[in-house]
Amino acid sequence: MPATQTDYAQSPHIVMWEITRACQLHCVHCRAEAQRHRHPGELNLQEARSVVDQVSGFHDPLLVITGGDPLEREDLWEIIDYAREQGVRVSLAASVTPRMTRAAIWRMRRAGVKRLALSLDGATAKAHDRFRGVKGSFLDTVKALYSVADIGLPLQINTTVSALNHEELEGVADMAELFGADLWSLFFLVPTGRASEDLMTTPEQNEEIMKWIYGQSLTRPFAVKATEAPFYRRVIMQRQSGEARREPHPGSGQTAQRAPRDALRGVRPVNDGDGFVFISHTGDVYPSGFLPECAGNVQSTPLVDIYRASDLFRKMRAKDELKGKCGRCEFRHVCGGSRARAFAVTGDYMQSDPACSYQPQG
């Protein structure tokens, strides 16, 4: 394995930490079923510092602080400062509410936040506000995006792909480009929390969307990432293989297309529990925020031990033990399917990902 890559059996690439479930939005797909007020069982500041210490035991992961809305915690800045003191890289995924002020964005930059992720689930107020459950959310998000661009804080735009908004994706991509996003992360809906199965796009639609976002990755100035849709990796490989066969001969006068700006380029594919770990507001540890199977709690078992040695996480990394067509698929080691979606739809996290239309060749 190249020295620049992490052994995912030992360390995750991303640690996602939900420091609170409090949020003033009411999103139709909310995994956390966020509430207006903070939960009394949230980890306190001292316990939060212990989590940071445990994260620092891994090999240079990216710590993404999320919620709910992390801005609901007054001690957020102390947590970020402590993480930086421990040499932990921090990004922030926050909600656009009245707390998302220009002053707060400036404070993020001064605190050394590597990137701010904001959600944009439609290119129009009608589409986005319907998703977020709050009228005026779209305009507030646009204002926040202008501030982020003006202040110069690196920006990630998150978009949930669903039956409600999949026709808005072109417009969202245009906005991501307009506001200078570094990364566009498309999350393919998992029916958990407030999200129901009827909000999912069909496997056939997903395949077309994947081909479309691959095309976007060739022309847009930002990187593209598909979350809870690891079959995007398979699509990339198939498209690149086809393009290689059509590559023009030297001197033909044709211009070769540039490589896609894949967000994980040079990094092993990340999947639920395999390069990824999620910590809840109470310290429970999951392979994903969308897979409600708990492997332990950081207050009783070190995070490093849970990730490396728990039966649940070891199974997440055992691609040859997958069931159904995922288990037969020749792309299982670069994809592996969404374990969270398999669990949400079938009740078995080792079953096939029902969002993928691909039929294995073997």
Side-chain angles (χ1 to χ4, degrees):
M1 181 178 298
T4 57
Q5 291 195 358
T6 299
D7 178 0
Y8 288 166
Q10 297 299 309
S11 292
H13 180 63
I14 297 173
V15 177
M16 184 76 71
W17 182 16
E18 168 198 77
I19 63 170
T20 183
R21 281 198 170 179
C23 183
Q24 302 310 306
L25 300 180
H26 195 78
C27 304
V28 297
H29 67 302
C30 183
R31 163 204 62 78
E33 298 184 274
Q35 307 299 315
R36 299 290 186 186
H37 304 287
R38 291 173 57 185
H39 190 279
E42 280 180 10
L43 300 178
N44 61 35
L45 180 58
Q46 180 178 346
E47 292 164 338
R49 286 176 173 150
S50 175
V51 171
V52 172
D53 290 336
Q54 295 181 50
V55 171
S56 69
F58 289 123
H59 175 67
D60 193 32
L62 175 65
L63 176 61
V64 181
I65 296 178
T66 185
D69 179 17
L71 288 171
E72 289 283 331
R73 283 191 63 147
E74 294 81 3
D75 59 2
L76 168 65
W77 312 107
E78 295 173 82
I79 295 171
I80 294 173
D81 287 344
Y82 186 75
R84 288 194 65 207
E85 290 169 6
Q86 306 312 305
V88 176
R89 297 176 297 134
V90 178
S91 287
L92 198 62
S95 302
V96 177
T97 72
R99 293 179 183 271
M100 184 59 69
T101 62
R102 186 177 178 86
I105 296 168
W106 265 115
R107 193 167 185 179
M108 293 173 199
R109 181 176 175 181
R110 290 195 299 269
V113 170
K114 296 296 183 183
R115 181 181 286 158
L116 172 63
L118 297 179
S119 292
L120 186 63
D121 292 303
T124 62
K126 180 179 179 181
H128 179 85
D129 289 0
R130 180 184 181 188
F131 225 85
R132 294 288 145 185
V134 174
K135 188 174 182 180
S137 177
F138 178 78
L139 290 179
D140 290 342
T141 299
V142 170
K143 291 176 184 176
L145 290 170
Y146 273 116
S147 291
V148 172
D150 184 49
I151 290 168
L153 184 65
L155 172 67
Q156 172 177 330
I157 288 183
N158 294 340
T159 302
T160 299
V161 179
S162 77
L164 296 177
N165 68 341
H166 66 93
E167 295 181 351
E168 298 259 334
L169 295 180
E170 180 99 39
V172 175
D174 289 341
M175 292 183 68
E177 183 167 346
L178 173 66
F179 289 106
D182 298 297
L183 172 64
W184 186 28
S185 180
L186 295 98
F187 162 66
F188 284 70
L189 186 138
V190 173
T192 188
R194 293 194 189 116
S196 56
E197 282 191 45
D198 62 337
L199 289 178
M200 292 171 55
T201 43
T202 68
E204 294 73 25
Q205 287 173 327
N206 291 338
E207 193 72 9
E208 292 306 309
I209 293 169
M210 291 293 176
K211 293 174 183 176
W212 178 80
I213 63 175
Y214 174 79
Q216 296 296 294
S217 74
L218 298 173
T219 59
R220 298 286 186 173
F222 47 76
V224 177
K225 174 185 175 185
T227 302
E228 291 297 348
F231 41 89
Y232 179 49
R233 281 289 194 174
R234 185 255 308 161
V235 172
I236 290 175
M237 293 176 69
Q238 290 175 316
R239 305 297 278 188
Q240 288 179 335
S241 175
E243 287 164 8
R245 289 194 294 270
R246 297 192 300 271
E247 189 173 334
H249 294 292
S252 66
Q254 298 182 44
T255 302
Q257 213 168 18
R258 68 173 175 84
R261 289 205 59 199
D262 178 9
L264 295 180
R265 193 169 180 82
V267 177
R268 281 185 54 211
V270 171
N271 204 342
D272 303 330
D274 186 13
F276 187 97
V277 61
F278 179 90
I279 308 167
S280 82
H281 60 300
T282 59
D284 287 335
V285 179
Y286 302 89
S288 162
F290 307 97
L291 178 48
E293 288 284 285
C294 181
N297 188 287
V298 294
Q299 296 191 79
S300 56
T301 307
L303 177 63
V304 169
D305 292 348
I306 295 172
Y307 179 83
R308 292 177 180 171
S310 69
D311 289 342
L312 178 58
F313 274 82
R314 289 168 71 92
K315 288 196 77 172
M316 293 293 102
R317 297 189 285 269
K319 300 297 191 292
D320 289 332
E321 295 182 20
L322 294 173
K323 301 176 183 177
K325 68 176 186 177
C326 278
R328 301 189 307 272
C329 185
E330 64 271 29
F331 293 100
R332 63 187 177 277
H333 290 285
V334 295
C335 171
S338 168
R339 300 299 95 220
R341 188 179 297 105
F343 181 80
V345 175
T346 73
D348 183 350
Y349 52 72
M350 298 301 284
Q351 267 296 347
S352 296
D353 183 348
C356 179
S357 66
Y358 182 71
Q359 295 299 321
Q361 299 302 302

mmCIF file of all heavy atoms in Angstrom, residues 56-96:
data_model
loop_
_atom_site.group_PDB
_atom_site.id
_atom_site.type_symbol
_atom_site.label_atom_id
_atom_site.label_comp_id
_atom_site.label_asym_id
_atom_site.label_seq_id
_atom_site.Cartn_x
_atom_site.Cartn_y
_atom_site.Cartn_z
ATOM 1 N N SER A 56 -7.204 11.616 18.049
ATOM 2 C CA SER A 56 -5.790 11.854 17.748
ATOM 3 C C SER A 56 -4.966 10.565 17.804
ATOM 4 O O SER A 56 -3.820 10.540 17.342
ATOM 5 C CB SER A 56 -5.199 12.888 18.715
ATOM 6 O OG SER A 56 -5.108 12.370 20.033
ATOM 7 N N GLY A 57 -5.554 9.488 18.330
ATOM 8 C CA GLY A 57 -4.873 8.208 18.352
ATOM 9 C C GLY A 57 -4.844 7.506 17.013
ATOM 10 O O GLY A 57 -4.125 6.510 16.841
ATOM 11 N N PHE A 58 -5.623 8.008 16.057
ATOM 12 C CA PHE A 58 -5.604 7.471 14.702
ATOM 13 C C PHE A 58 -4.518 8.162 13.885
ATOM 14 O O PHE A 58 -3.906 9.137 14.318
ATOM 15 C CB PHE A 58 -6.956 7.681 14.017
ATOM 16 C CG PHE A 58 -8.071 6.828 14.555
ATOM 17 C CD1 PHE A 58 -9.231 7.417 15.055
ATOM 18 C CD2 PHE A 58 -7.986 5.450 14.546
ATOM 19 C CE1 PHE A 58 -10.269 6.644 15.548
ATOM 20 C CE2 PHE A 58 -9.022 4.661 15.026
ATOM 21 C CZ PHE A 58 -10.168 5.261 15.529
ATOM 22 N N HIS A 59 -4.323 7.677 12.654
ATOM 23 C CA HIS A 59 -3.319 8.248 11.760
ATOM 24 C C HIS A 59 -3.927 9.383 10.933
ATOM 25 O O HIS A 59 -4.519 9.163 9.880
ATOM 26 C CB HIS A 59 -2.759 7.165 10.836
ATOM 27 C CG HIS A 59 -1.817 7.697 9.799
ATOM 28 N ND1 HIS A 59 -0.583 8.233 10.118
ATOM 29 C CD2 HIS A 59 -1.934 7.798 8.443
ATOM 30 C CE1 HIS A 59 0.011 8.632 9.020
ATOM 31 N NE2 HIS A 59 -0.774 8.389 7.991
ATOM 32 N N ASP A 60 -3.844 10.597 11.466
ATOM 33 C CA ASP A 60 -4.206 11.820 10.743
ATOM 34 C C ASP A 60 -5.559 11.771 10.045
ATOM 35 O O ASP A 60 -5.668 12.052 8.846
ATOM 36 C CB ASP A 60 -3.123 12.161 9.719
ATOM 37 C CG ASP A 60 -3.277 13.576 9.176
ATOM 38 O OD1 ASP A 60 -3.736 14.462 9.914
ATOM 39 O OD2 ASP A 60 -2.948 13.792 7.992
ATOM 40 N N PRO A 61 -6.642 11.439 10.771
ATOM 41 C CA PRO A 61 -7.960 11.498 10.129
ATOM 42 C C PRO A 61 -8.456 12.939 10.039
ATOM 43 O O PRO A 61 -7.923 13.839 10.706
ATOM 44 C CB PRO A 61 -8.841 10.699 11.091
ATOM 45 C CG PRO A 61 -8.238 11.004 12.434
ATOM 46 C CD PRO A 61 -6.738 11.089 12.194
ATOM 47 N N LEU A 62 -9.461 13.156 9.217
ATOM 48 C CA LEU A 62 -10.165 14.435 9.195
ATOM 49 C C LEU A 62 -11.341 14.327 10.150
ATOM 50 O O LEU A 62 -12.180 13.428 10.009
ATOM 51 C CB LEU A 62 -10.660 14.760 7.787
ATOM 52 C CG LEU A 62 -11.514 16.034 7.672
ATOM 53 C CD1 LEU A 62 -10.691 17.273 8.009
ATOM 54 C CD2 LEU A 62 -12.117 16.156 6.275
ATOM 55 N N LEU A 63 -11.411 15.214 11.130
ATOM 56 C CA LEU A 63 -12.526 15.257 12.062
ATOM 57 C C LEU A 63 -13.570 16.233 11.530
ATOM 58 O O LEU A 63 -13.291 17.426 11.391
ATOM 59 C CB LEU A 63 -12.053 15.691 13.454
ATOM 60 C CG LEU A 63 -13.144 15.878 14.514
ATOM 61 C CD1 LEU A 63 -13.900 14.583 14.773
ATOM 62 C CD2 LEU A 63 -12.539 16.426 15.812
ATOM 63 N N VAL A 64 -14.752 15.729 11.227
ATOM 64 C CA VAL A 64 -15.848 16.574 10.752
ATOM 65 C C VAL A 64 -16.844 16.723 11.891
ATOM 66 O O VAL A 64 -17.484 15.756 12.302
ATOM 67 C CB VAL A 64 -16.534 15.971 9.514
ATOM 68 C CG1 VAL A 64 -17.655 16.901 9.030
ATOM 69 C CG2 VAL A 64 -15.525 15.730 8.403
ATOM 70 N N ILE A 65 -16.969 17.933 12.413
ATOM 71 C CA ILE A 65 -17.909 18.207 13.502
ATOM 72 C C ILE A 65 -19.245 18.603 12.888
ATOM 73 O O ILE A 65 -19.330 19.519 12.068
ATOM 74 C CB ILE A 65 -17.379 19.319 14.411
ATOM 75 C CG1 ILE A 65 -16.081 18.850 15.096
ATOM 76 C CG2 ILE A 65 -18.412 19.707 15.454
ATOM 77 C CD1 ILE A 65 -15.440 19.906 15.980
ATOM 78 N N THR A 66 -20.301 17.907 13.309
ATOM 79 C CA THR A 66 -21.612 18.117 12.723
ATOM 80 C C THR A 66 -22.684 18.054 13.804
ATOM 81 O O THR A 66 -22.391 18.088 14.993
ATOM 82 C CB THR A 66 -21.857 17.078 11.600
ATOM 83 O OG1 THR A 66 -23.100 17.358 10.954
ATOM 84 C CG2 THR A 66 -21.881 15.653 12.141
ATOM 85 N N GLY A 67 -23.944 17.948 13.404
ATOM 86 C CA GLY A 67 -25.049 17.834 14.337
ATOM 87 C C GLY A 67 -26.184 17.063 13.693
ATOM 88 O O GLY A 67 -25.914 16.204 12.848
ATOM 89 N N GLY A 68 -27.463 17.414 14.022
ATOM 90 C CA GLY A 68 -27.934 18.712 14.448
ATOM 91 C C GLY A 68 -27.159 19.869 13.841
ATOM 92 O O GLY A 68 -26.658 19.808 12.755
ATOM 93 N N ASP A 69 -27.073 20.901 14.635
ATOM 94 C CA ASP A 69 -26.320 22.079 14.236
ATOM 95 C C ASP A 69 -25.259 22.355 15.292
ATOM 96 O O ASP A 69 -25.588 22.730 16.422
ATOM 97 C CB ASP A 69 -27.251 23.279 14.101
ATOM 98 C CG ASP A 69 -26.520 24.552 13.713
ATOM 99 O OD1 ASP A 69 -25.364 24.453 13.249
ATOM 100 O OD2 ASP A 69 -27.109 25.645 13.867
ATOM 101 N N PRO A 70 -23.981 22.160 14.962
ATOM 102 C CA PRO A 70 -22.930 22.363 15.967
ATOM 103 C C PRO A 70 -22.889 23.770 16.541
ATOM 104 O O PRO A 70 -22.403 23.972 17.657
ATOM 105 C CB PRO A 70 -21.639 22.025 15.215
ATOM 106 C CG PRO A 70 -21.992 22.086 13.773
ATOM 107 C CD PRO A 70 -23.437 21.720 13.674
ATOM 108 N N LEU A 71 -23.429 24.750 15.805
ATOM 109 C CA LEU A 71 -23.444 26.120 16.329
ATOM 110 C C LEU A 71 -24.407 26.279 17.504
ATOM 111 O O LEU A 71 -24.410 27.324 18.162
ATOM 112 C CB LEU A 71 -23.813 27.096 15.210
ATOM 113 C CG LEU A 71 -22.726 27.318 14.148
ATOM 114 C CD1 LEU A 71 -23.273 28.125 12.980
ATOM 115 C CD2 LEU A 71 -21.499 27.977 14.725
ATOM 116 N N GLU A 72 -25.195 25.261 17.790
ATOM 117 C CA GLU A 72 -26.071 25.290 18.964
ATOM 118 C C GLU A 72 -25.274 25.126 20.262
ATOM 119 O O GLU A 72 -25.800 25.381 21.345
ATOM 120 C CB GLU A 72 -27.116 24.177 18.872
ATOM 121 C CG GLU A 72 -28.182 24.392 17.807
ATOM 122 C CD GLU A 72 -29.242 25.405 18.215
ATOM 123 O OE1 GLU A 72 -29.503 25.546 19.428
ATOM 124 O OE2 GLU A 72 -29.809 26.075 17.322
ATOM 125 N N ARG A 73 -24.027 24.684 20.149
ATOM 126 C CA ARG A 73 -23.187 24.527 21.346
ATOM 127 C C ARG A 73 -22.272 25.732 21.512
ATOM 128 O O ARG A 73 -21.446 26.033 20.637
ATOM 129 C CB ARG A 73 -22.351 23.244 21.251
ATOM 130 C CG ARG A 73 -23.160 22.003 21.541
ATOM 131 C CD ARG A 73 -22.281 20.779 21.720
ATOM 132 N NE ARG A 73 -21.361 20.863 22.856
ATOM 133 C CZ ARG A 73 -20.982 19.808 23.583
ATOM 134 N NH1 ARG A 73 -21.464 18.599 23.286
ATOM 135 N NH2 ARG A 73 -20.134 19.944 24.570
ATOM 136 N N GLU A 74 -22.375 26.393 22.654
ATOM 137 C CA GLU A 74 -21.560 27.572 22.911
ATOM 138 C C GLU A 74 -20.087 27.217 23.039
ATOM 139 O O GLU A 74 -19.211 28.063 22.796
ATOM 140 C CB GLU A 74 -22.042 28.279 24.190
ATOM 141 C CG GLU A 74 -23.442 28.886 24.092
ATOM 142 C CD GLU A 74 -24.557 27.858 24.294
ATOM 143 O OE1 GLU A 74 -24.238 26.673 24.576
ATOM 144 O OE2 GLU A 74 -25.730 28.226 24.153
ATOM 145 N N ASP A 75 -19.789 25.974 23.427
ATOM 146 C CA ASP A 75 -18.395 25.575 23.607
ATOM 147 C C ASP A 75 -17.781 24.987 22.339
ATOM 148 O O ASP A 75 -16.699 24.397 22.379
ATOM 149 C CB ASP A 75 -18.265 24.588 24.770
ATOM 150 C CG ASP A 75 -19.101 23.319 24.572
ATOM 151 O OD1 ASP A 75 -19.752 23.173 23.514
ATOM 152 O OD2 ASP A 75 -19.115 22.465 25.494
ATOM 153 N N LEU A 76 -18.464 25.143 21.197
ATOM 154 C CA LEU A 76 -17.937 24.640 19.925
ATOM 155 C C LEU A 76 -16.513 25.135 19.681
ATOM 156 O O LEU A 76 -15.628 24.371 19.282
ATOM 157 C CB LEU A 76 -18.850 25.083 18.776
ATOM 158 C CG LEU A 76 -18.300 24.880 17.357
ATOM 159 C CD1 LEU A 76 -18.116 23.398 17.058
ATOM 160 C CD2 LEU A 76 -19.227 25.535 16.327
ATOM 161 N N TRP A 77 -16.283 26.422 19.933
ATOM 162 C CA TRP A 77 -14.982 27.024 19.627
ATOM 163 C C TRP A 77 -13.891 26.455 20.515
ATOM 164 O O TRP A 77 -12.751 26.273 20.071
ATOM 165 C CB TRP A 77 -15.084 28.534 19.761
ATOM 166 C CG TRP A 77 -16.292 29.052 19.041
ATOM 167 C CD1 TRP A 77 -17.454 29.513 19.598
ATOM 168 C CD2 TRP A 77 -16.483 29.085 17.627
ATOM 169 N NE1 TRP A 77 -18.345 29.848 18.614
ATOM 170 C CE2 TRP A 77 -17.785 29.601 17.389
ATOM 171 C CE3 TRP A 77 -15.692 28.750 16.533
ATOM 172 C CZ2 TRP A 77 -18.302 29.780 16.120
ATOM 173 C CZ3 TRP A 77 -16.201 28.916 15.254
ATOM 174 C CH2 TRP A 77 -17.492 29.429 15.057
ATOM 175 N N GLU A 78 -14.232 26.151 21.761
ATOM 176 C CA GLU A 78 -13.255 25.528 22.647
ATOM 177 C C GLU A 78 -12.905 24.122 22.174
ATOM 178 O O GLU A 78 -11.742 23.695 22.275
ATOM 179 C CB GLU A 78 -13.801 25.489 24.080
ATOM 180 C CG GLU A 78 -13.991 26.854 24.706
ATOM 181 C CD GLU A 78 -14.687 26.785 26.052
ATOM 182 O OE1 GLU A 78 -13.991 26.521 27.051
ATOM 183 O OE2 GLU A 78 -15.917 26.985 26.101
ATOM 184 N N ILE A 79 -13.904 23.408 21.651
ATOM 185 C CA ILE A 79 -13.651 22.062 21.130
ATOM 186 C C ILE A 79 -12.733 22.136 19.912
ATOM 187 O O ILE A 79 -11.779 21.364 19.782
ATOM 188 C CB ILE A 79 -14.980 21.368 20.778
ATOM 189 C CG1 ILE A 79 -15.812 21.139 22.041
ATOM 190 C CG2 ILE A 79 -14.729 20.041 20.053
ATOM 191 C CD1 ILE A 79 -17.227 20.650 21.775
ATOM 192 N N ILE A 80 -13.016 23.086 19.012
ATOM 193 C CA ILE A 80 -12.184 23.247 17.813
ATOM 194 C C ILE A 80 -10.765 23.635 18.201
ATOM 195 O O ILE A 80 -9.785 23.085 17.673
ATOM 196 C CB ILE A 80 -12.803 24.279 16.858
ATOM 197 C CG1 ILE A 80 -14.132 23.764 16.294
ATOM 198 C CG2 ILE A 80 -11.830 24.613 15.719
ATOM 199 C CD1 ILE A 80 -14.884 24.788 15.464
ATOM 200 N N ASP A 81 -10.628 24.590 19.123
ATOM 201 C CA ASP A 81 -9.294 25.025 19.556
ATOM 202 C C ASP A 81 -8.522 23.854 20.146
ATOM 203 O O ASP A 81 -7.320 23.683 19.873
ATOM 204 C CB ASP A 81 -9.402 26.151 20.588
ATOM 205 C CG ASP A 81 -9.834 27.478 19.973
ATOM 206 O OD1 ASP A 81 -9.759 27.603 18.732
ATOM 207 O OD2 ASP A 81 -10.259 28.364 20.731
ATOM 208 N N TYR A 82 -9.189 23.040 20.959
ATOM 209 C CA TYR A 82 -8.497 21.915 21.581
ATOM 210 C C TYR A 82 -8.067 20.897 20.521
ATOM 211 O O TYR A 82 -6.958 20.347 20.599
ATOM 212 C CB TYR A 82 -9.410 21.237 22.616
ATOM 213 C CG TYR A 82 -8.704 20.152 23.393
ATOM 214 C CD1 TYR A 82 -7.785 20.470 24.386
ATOM 215 C CD2 TYR A 82 -8.941 18.810 23.113
ATOM 216 C CE1 TYR A 82 -7.113 19.479 25.086
ATOM 217 C CE2 TYR A 82 -8.275 17.805 23.805
ATOM 218 C CZ TYR A 82 -7.363 18.151 24.801
ATOM 219 O OH TYR A 82 -6.690 17.161 25.479
ATOM 220 N N ALA A 83 -8.935 20.664 19.538
ATOM 221 C CA ALA A 83 -8.580 19.726 18.467
ATOM 222 C C ALA A 83 -7.341 20.204 17.723
ATOM 223 O O ALA A 83 -6.429 19.414 17.430
ATOM 224 C CB ALA A 83 -9.756 19.559 17.511
ATOM 225 N N ARG A 84 -7.282 21.467 17.418
ATOM 226 C CA ARG A 84 -6.105 22.010 16.716
ATOM 227 C C ARG A 84 -4.852 21.872 17.569
ATOM 228 O O ARG A 84 -3.771 21.567 17.057
ATOM 229 C CB ARG A 84 -6.338 23.474 16.360
ATOM 230 C CG ARG A 84 -7.357 23.695 15.242
ATOM 231 C CD ARG A 84 -7.269 25.106 14.721
ATOM 232 N NE ARG A 84 -5.992 25.376 14.086
ATOM 233 C CZ ARG A 84 -5.427 26.589 14.005
ATOM 234 N NH1 ARG A 84 -6.027 27.632 14.526
ATOM 235 N NH2 ARG A 84 -4.284 26.760 13.391
ATOM 236 N N GLU A 85 -4.984 22.091 18.879
ATOM 237 C CA GLU A 85 -3.832 21.940 19.775
ATOM 238 C C GLU A 85 -3.299 20.514 19.756
ATOM 239 O O GLU A 85 -2.099 20.285 19.938
ATOM 240 C CB GLU A 85 -4.228 22.333 21.206
ATOM 241 C CG GLU A 85 -4.475 23.817 21.396
ATOM 242 C CD GLU A 85 -5.115 24.125 22.735
ATOM 243 O OE1 GLU A 85 -5.256 23.187 23.560
ATOM 244 O OE2 GLU A 85 -5.489 25.286 22.968
ATOM 245 N N GLN A 86 -4.213 19.559 19.529
ATOM 246 C CA GLN A 86 -3.811 18.146 19.489
ATOM 247 C C GLN A 86 -3.381 17.712 18.093
ATOM 248 O O GLN A 86 -3.087 16.532 17.869
ATOM 249 C CB GLN A 86 -4.970 17.259 19.973
ATOM 250 C CG GLN A 86 -5.525 17.619 21.334
ATOM 251 C CD GLN A 86 -4.444 17.826 22.384
ATOM 252 O OE1 GLN A 86 -3.612 16.940 22.595
ATOM 253 N NE2 GLN A 86 -4.444 18.982 23.033
ATOM 254 N N GLY A 87 -3.342 18.648 17.153
ATOM 255 C CA GLY A 87 -2.910 18.338 15.799
ATOM 256 C C GLY A 87 -3.956 17.651 14.955
ATOM 257 O O GLY A 87 -3.622 17.014 13.948
ATOM 258 N N VAL A 88 -5.231 17.777 15.336
ATOM 259 C CA VAL A 88 -6.329 17.151 14.592
ATOM 260 C C VAL A 88 -6.920 18.154 13.609
ATOM 261 O O VAL A 88 -7.273 19.276 13.986
ATOM 262 C CB VAL A 88 -7.434 16.651 15.557
ATOM 263 C CG1 VAL A 88 -8.623 16.094 14.768
ATOM 264 C CG2 VAL A 88 -6.870 15.589 16.501
ATOM 265 N N ARG A 89 -7.014 17.762 12.349
ATOM 266 C CA ARG A 89 -7.623 18.613 11.330
ATOM 267 C C ARG A 89 -9.148 18.614 11.521
ATOM 268 O O ARG A 89 -9.744 17.560 11.704
ATOM 269 C CB ARG A 89 -7.288 18.110 9.935
ATOM 270 C CG ARG A 89 -5.807 18.142 9.600
ATOM 271 C CD ARG A 89 -5.530 17.542 8.240
ATOM 272 N NE ARG A 89 -5.882 16.128 8.174
ATOM 273 C CZ ARG A 89 -6.568 15.559 7.197
ATOM 274 N NH1 ARG A 89 -7.032 16.292 6.181
ATOM 275 N NH2 ARG A 89 -6.814 14.267 7.205
ATOM 276 N N VAL A 90 -9.764 19.807 11.443
ATOM 277 C CA VAL A 90 -11.195 19.938 11.710
ATOM 278 C C VAL A 90 -11.913 20.617 10.556
ATOM 279 O O VAL A 90 -11.499 21.677 10.082
ATOM 280 C CB VAL A 90 -11.457 20.753 13.001
ATOM 281 C CG1 VAL A 90 -12.949 20.915 13.235
ATOM 282 C CG2 VAL A 90 -10.800 20.075 14.198
ATOM 283 N N SER A 91 -12.998 19.980 10.113
ATOM 284 C CA SER A 91 -13.964 20.624 9.225
ATOM 285 C C SER A 91 -15.292 20.717 9.963
ATOM 286 O O SER A 91 -15.501 20.041 10.975
ATOM 287 C CB SER A 91 -14.141 19.826 7.931
ATOM 288 O OG SER A 91 -13.010 19.961 7.097
ATOM 289 N N LEU A 92 -16.183 21.548 9.440
ATOM 290 C CA LEU A 92 -17.447 21.805 10.112
ATOM 291 C C LEU A 92 -18.592 21.654 9.125
ATOM 292 O O LEU A 92 -18.531 22.175 8.008
ATOM 293 C CB LEU A 92 -17.428 23.232 10.685
ATOM 294 C CG LEU A 92 -18.426 23.617 11.766
ATOM 295 C CD1 LEU A 92 -18.227 22.777 13.012
ATOM 296 C CD2 LEU A 92 -18.269 25.098 12.109
ATOM 297 N N ALA A 93 -19.626 20.911 9.525
ATOM 298 C CA ALA A 93 -20.854 20.804 8.733
ATOM 299 C C ALA A 93 -21.977 21.387 9.567
ATOM 300 O O ALA A 93 -22.388 20.788 10.579
ATOM 301 C CB ALA A 93 -21.148 19.348 8.379
ATOM 302 N N ALA A 94 -22.443 22.564 9.187
ATOM 303 C CA ALA A 94 -23.391 23.305 10.024
ATOM 304 C C ALA A 94 -24.655 23.655 9.260
ATOM 305 O O ALA A 94 -24.691 23.641 8.028
ATOM 306 C CB ALA A 94 -22.730 24.577 10.545
ATOM 307 N N SER A 95 -25.698 23.978 10.018
ATOM 308 C CA SER A 95 -26.984 24.374 9.437
ATOM 309 C C SER A 95 -27.020 25.880 9.227
ATOM 310 O O SER A 95 -26.377 26.636 9.965
ATOM 311 C CB SER A 95 -28.131 23.961 10.368
ATOM 312 O OG SER A 95 -28.125 22.574 10.598
ATOM 313 N N VAL A 96 -27.774 26.298 8.228
ATOM 314 C CA VAL A 96 -27.964 27.735 8.007
ATOM 315 C C VAL A 96 -29.204 28.167 8.775
ATOM 316 O O VAL A 96 -30.340 27.944 8.365
ATOM 317 C CB VAL A 96 -28.091 28.069 6.517
ATOM 318 C CG1 VAL A 96 -28.362 29.568 6.348
ATOM 319 C CG2 VAL A 96 -26.815 27.686 5.773
#
